[in-house]
Amino acid sequence: MRTFTPKPDDIQRAWYLLDGEGAVVGRLATEVASVLRGKHKPIFAPHVDTGDHVIVINAAGMRFSSDKADKKLAYRHSGYPGGLSSRSYKDLMEKDPEELFRKVVRGMLPKGPLGRSMIRKLKVYAGPNHPHAAQNPQPLAVDPRVHRPPA
């Protein structure tokens, strides 16, 4: 069987809007990563960017399950010896919730040029307003607040 490769003419990109108010960060991030990759489409191919654009509003209202906000740490390195620094997710959520959500979703996407092209289609805003009304985003039917038992 041959590998299916969608042509650029086959790819139709849509815009979706998600409200993050009260949502669990990790569960919402998995749904967003799936839409960014295009796994919800019948023309999905793992080596081609077939995903859609996603706008996430109210990122400041997201929450973590359990006590992950205090215990989980985000690391970064300056590139110099001894330049490793860490901050808790709680601090990052208070300072920059948009960047925290973008970082979580980015970890779920492929590494390399393909993942970088996918993460560019994610737009995250801390409040309820966004400048993408002209794209006519459709609400995405996702309820991340409900726990889905394993199948």
Side-chain angles (χ1 to χ4, degrees):
M1 179 173 212
R2 292 180 173 248
T3 303
F4 172 70
T5 301
K7 308 294 182 276
D9 296 340
D10 299 338
I11 301 171
Q12 300 290 324
R13 300 212 193 272
W15 285 75
Y16 292 108
L17 179 68
L18 281 171
D19 188 358
E21 186 67 37
V24 177
V25 173
R27 294 192 183 161
L28 186 65
T30 56
E31 298 289 340
V32 169
S34 180
V35 172
L36 288 173
R37 285 199 73 188
K39 289 186 125 183
H40 62 292
K41 295 182 175 183
I43 63 165
F44 171 72
H47 61 287
V48 180
D49 183 8
T50 59
D52 294 327
H53 296 269
V54 178
I55 304 165
V56 179
I57 57 173
N58 293 324
M62 292 184 196
R63 63 185 176 86
F64 290 94
S65 59
S66 185
D67 54 355
K68 288 185 188 128
D70 297 321
K71 290 187 176 179
K72 212 165 165 67
L73 298 175
Y75 297 98
R76 66 176 211 201
H77 199 282
S78 66
Y80 291 97
L84 184 67
S85 62
S86 62
R87 296 183 70 170
S88 71
Y89 273 31
K90 182 179 181 181
D91 293 340
L92 286 175
M93 192 63 149
E94 291 169 0
K95 181 182 178 240
D96 194 3
E98 300 148 343
E99 190 56 38
L100 173 66
F101 188 72
R102 195 173 289 112
K103 178 183 176 73
V104 171
V105 172
R106 186 174 187 180
M108 298 180 184
L109 294 176
K111 309 310 180 255
L114 183 62
R116 288 192 291 271
S117 71
M118 290 176 182
I119 197 69
R120 277 188 222 113
K121 296 182 307 215
L122 175 65
K123 315 293 182 198
V124 185
Y125 300 99
N129 301 324
H130 65 86
H132 304 286
Q135 281 73 29
N136 193 18
Q138 303 302 315
L140 190 61
V142 171
D143 190 8
R145 297 166 199 95
V146 177
H147 174 68
R148 295 185 197 130

